[in-house]
Amino acid sequence: MAAYRKEIIVGPKIKFFTISCLFLLLSLVILLSTFRLKTLVFVLDSRNIDVLALPHEGLHVKQFPPSPLISFLKNELSGNENIKVGLVNTEKIDDEYWYFLGETVAVGFDRVSNKIQWKDFMREWIDEEHKYRKPKCPEIPMPEFEKYGDDLDVVISRVPCGNETDAARGNGIRDVLRLQVNLVVANLVARSRRNDKPVYVVFIGSCGPMIEIFRCDDLVKHEGDIWIYKPDLRRLQQKVQMPVGSCELATPFLKQGGSIDYDFTKLGKSIPIDNPREAYVTVLHSSESYVCGAISLAQSIIQTNSTKDMVILVDESITLKSRQELEFAGWKIKLIDRIHSPHARKNAYNEWNYSKLRIWQLAEYDKLIFIDSDLILLRNIDDFFAYPQLSAVGNDRVRFNSGIMLIEPSKCMFESLMEKRYTVFSYNGGDQGFLNEVFTWWHRWPKRLNHLKLRPRNASAPEIPESRYAVHFLGFKPWTCYRDYDCNWLRKDHNSFASDMVHRMWWQVYDLMPERLQKVCGLTKVKDQKIQQWRRMAENAKLPDEHWKISITDPRHINLVD
């Protein structure tokens, strides 16, 4: 019985102790959840990693010493005792953290509607000439900038990274909120009146800011998820003048009677570079089949009285003789190693098209207008150098056509493109697909600047607007046909590219070439045999246009080259 009593006495003590422990544990859980600790890691020096365990609420960050990030920015802004910091898309923990840097102000703005999609900003087609209505982009809410002044020294922003699934598939980031945040930051910085003093931007996020707005050349420091920029204010001021997408033309046009021209006066006032170094550029690689095209392109540029340099990149497949003729035509020759297109099929036409990426290596120039060598200019387009990177004509869906585009050469951008070429997807296996995934935000040029020689359905010939600037020859190229007619007529599968009128435009450029250069555009025996074969096939098929009946007067048909 004694043992039994002892057990009865001890039992209640054990229960009381257990209940007390559970109560204490529950209290501790509640206490910890109240503080909701978060960890913010800033790594600015691999030898001095600063890890701050900062409370979201409660304990103030002001109790902690400044981090290397704060010290770095203060050192960059040395001499400025009253640092003003703008906070964009940040959290409360950020507001407390940046107390050590200076006076902070949270920049408020309404988030863009989640009903608006990327394709609403980057449209496939717009009414460029206002035949029916003036194109208008959706609104992206901006802050009331007047509230925040024009004297910010630093802008801090957490940057959204968009859909991670798209990135994993190799697609570019097309996220409307990301665009909004980048534009808010860009506008805040561009409004600065401190042209004699730098403004710094700190982005927090694994993907960094949009490279279309914040140039890698302006990147001061990058460690982990921290990206610090010192933007070129004049370049940024020009960027924020652009429409928020390709939903509008970046240049307003002027109607003068029945013709249309474009007004560059507004762009001209904001040219971000004094005495800019600018040039036209094209690329030849892998074969000599486009040497004549490059010569006719050069001659067409010269015939428009352009004042810009002309540079051509060639690989070793272009013979010394051809290089001499290209130089005589007006090109400055630069020898390159070609770049393989990792997403192209072997022996495909675009297997080495990534060689075009080397134009970003021409850092001796501030801006380049790249032009494919199967285009000719019909009017002077020097004014279009006023645009920023990347400017081009629309292609399909949200994409641009890389046949003619403005870029800003940069060593770091070239290195970035080379790093991305294996992981970023290309819808067509070539440079155009790749560049559209890298530069998802671009500026729309009028389609007259890259008019495709393509006949609309049920039309007798491709429509060529009166005020066109350039023609892009699709299908069989003029120098590979007889001058008597467009040989695209001889193939039913190429009829959509056929136009004798546009064909004659190329030959008008040819006729103004020096005789020495005309000889480069001779017709080969192999090509002549191929055209004769197509003529017989067209005759047998009784193609209704009856171009196969036309007598050949082109002297090149008599004086064939090997």
Side-chain angles (χ1 to χ4, degrees), residues 378-448:
L378 304 175
R379 296 174 62 188
N380 187 294
I381 65 169
D382 286 0
D383 283 336
F384 285 89
F385 279 99
Y387 279 82
Q389 179 177 266
L390 192 150
S391 297
V393 174
N395 196 62
D396 65 334
R397 299 185 182 180
V398 298
R399 307 183 186 111
F400 58 85
N401 187 302
S402 65
I404 177 168
M405 59 182 178
L406 183 140
I407 68 105
E408 297 173 2
S410 160
K411 179 181 177 182
C412 61
M413 177 55 71
F414 173 74
E415 292 172 351
S416 175
L417 294 173
M418 293 297 285
E419 289 175 4
K420 292 175 179 177
R421 72 187 190 277
Y422 291 108
T423 57
V424 173
F425 176 71
S426 170
Y427 77 91
N428 66 349
D431 65 277
Q432 179 164 296
F434 173 74
L435 291 173
N436 268 281
E437 298 306 317
V438 176
F439 297 95
T440 56
W441 190 69
W442 50 277
H443 313 295
R444 183 183 289 271
W445 271 345
K447 61 185 179 182
R448 297 171 184 272

Side-chain angles (χ1 to χ4, degrees), residues 203-335:
F203 288 101
I204 306 169
S206 59
C207 58
M210 292 176 62
I211 63 169
E212 301 94 329
I213 301 175
F214 293 93
R215 305 162 62 242
C216 61
D217 303 80
D218 298 334
L219 181 63
V220 177
K221 201 167 187 65
H222 170 217
E223 291 286 350
D225 289 352
I226 304 299
W227 313 68
I228 303 177
Y229 286 78
K230 185 169 69 174
D232 182 320
L233 293 185
R234 290 196 296 174
R235 287 181 184 268
L236 208 55
Q237 287 162 0
Q238 186 187 35
K239 277 285 185 182
V240 299
Q241 286 186 13
M242 297 293 108
V244 295
S246 66
C247 36
E248 294 179 19
L249 274 182
T251 302
F253 72 84
L254 303 171
K255 281 191 174 181
Q256 299 175 343
S259 64
I260 291 177
D261 213 332
Y262 296 91
D263 181 9
F264 295 92
T265 55
K266 186 176 181 181
L267 280 174
K269 293 177 182 177
S270 64
I271 294 177
I273 307 166
D274 295 323
N275 301 315
R277 301 160 299 170
E278 298 165 341
Y280 294 101
V281 63
T282 195
V283 181
L284 293 181
H285 60 82
S286 305
S287 81
E288 296 203 299
S289 57
Y290 279 76
V291 170
C292 174
I295 288 174
S296 62
L297 170 60
Q299 293 296 288
S300 73
I301 295 172
I302 292 170
Q303 290 169 20
T304 65
N305 298 315
S306 171
T307 61
K308 308 300 181 182
D309 285 354
M310 298 189 304
V311 180
I312 187 168
L313 308 185
V314 302
D315 74 347
E316 292 184 349
S317 69
I318 310 303
T319 64
L320 178 60
K321 171 63 175 173
S322 293
R323 292 179 211 171
Q324 291 171 342
E325 301 305 330
L326 288 164
E327 189 171 18
F328 183 75
W331 292 111
K332 294 183 178 182
I333 311 292
K334 291 188 178 291
L335 190 63

Side-chain angles (χ1 to χ4, degrees), residues 335-347:
L335 190 63
I336 62 167
D337 292 326
R338 61 183 184 173
I339 301 174
H340 185 257
S341 307
H343 302 289
R345 297 188 304 273
K346 186 174 179 59
N347 298 323

Side-chain angles (χ1 to χ4, degrees), residues 488-493 495 534-535 537-549:
N488 284 290
W489 287 113
L490 301 177
R491 289 275 299 271
K492 193 172 183 180
D493 59 348
N495 271 193
W534 293 341
R535 280 172 64 91
M537 293 172 62
E539 181 180 6
N540 293 335
K542 296 291 189 285
L543 293 184
D545 58 86
E546 296 188 337
H547 279 73
W548 43 272
K549 288 185 175 181

